[in-house]
Amino acid sequence: MLGALIVAGQATLAQSWTPALAIDPPAKEASPVLRWVREYSAFRADPRDIQTALADAPQEITAIPNMHGVTLQLPTPDGRIQRFVVWENNLLGPQVQAQIPFFRTYSGQGIDDPHAVLRAEFGNGRFTAMVLGSEGTFFIEPLTKSADGQFFAY
C-alpha cells in the first residue's frame, strides 16, 4: 500500500507510480488519445493514494509567498519520475465547486526541473495532468475510461 510521507513540513506521495511494461486495454475501454500517440510510458498508481496526497494541498493563493505545498511525484513519457510542489487552485467559482465537490484543480512548480509548470485535476477517481517543462510538454492521463489505476504519460 502506498502512503504519504512528511518531509520538512510537506506531504510527499512516496513510490506512487509503478512502471507497467505491458498494458493492453480492450479497445472500447482505451483512451482515444492512444490512436494518435506514438510513444508513451505506462504506469500504475492507486487513484486513492493520489487523492490522499492532493487532499493536503493548500490553496494556491495563500501558499505562494511561503512556497509550501504538497510534493507530488509524477511519471514522464521517458519513464522517469519528476517531483512537483503542488497547490490547489479553484478554477471553478464557489457556486460551481459546491455543485461538484469531488472535482478539484491543482497547480504545481517543478522541483527536479525548476522551469516545469504543472496543471492537474482530480475528480471521480480520475487524475489528469499537463506539464510544461524545459524538455517540452507532456501529459498524464488514465489509460482507460474506468478509474482502475492505469495511466500513461506521453
Side-chain angles (χ1 to χ4, degrees), residues 1 3 10 21 27 63 69 82 97 104 109 116 122 131 134:
M1 179 56 76
Q10 295 182 355
L21 300 177
Q82 284 189 4
Q97 187 68 66
R104 299 279 187 225
Q109 181 67 48
F122 190 94
V131 175
S134 60

Side-chain angles (χ1 to χ4, degrees), residues 106-146:
Y106 302 90
S107 298
Q109 181 67 48
I111 295 172
D112 303 312
D113 176 1
H115 301 289
V117 176
L118 167 71
R119 296 293 182 257
E121 62 188 33
F122 190 94
N124 281 342
R126 294 173 54 87
F127 174 78
T128 60
M130 176 179 71
V131 175
L132 290 84
S134 60
E135 297 178 12
T137 301
F138 68 90
F139 301 87
I140 301 167
E141 294 189 20
L143 189 62
T144 63
K145 295 175 186 175
S146 62

Side-chain angles (χ1 to χ4, degrees), residues 11 20 48 85:
R48 293 171 297 190
V85 177

Side-chain angles (χ1 to χ4, degrees), residues 6-78:
I6 301 299
V7 178
Q10 295 182 355
T12 302
L13 188 61
Q15 307 299 319
S16 59
W17 301 94
T18 304
L21 300 177
I23 294 181
D24 190 20
K28 66 179 181 176
E29 283 291 312
S31 169
V33 174
L34 284 176
R35 294 181 206 149
W36 299 290
V37 175
R38 291 178 190 234
E39 293 182 26
Y40 66 90
S41 292
F43 294 86
R44 292 186 188 277
D46 188 332
R48 293 171 297 190
D49 289 335
I50 299 168
Q51 183 178 24
T52 298
L54 292 174
D56 292 331
Q59 290 294 317
E60 182 177 45
I61 200 160
T62 61
I64 286 184
N66 299 326
M67 289 302 288
H68 292 296
V70 296
T71 301
L72 189 66
Q73 299 176 8
L74 296 175
T76 64
D78 64 4

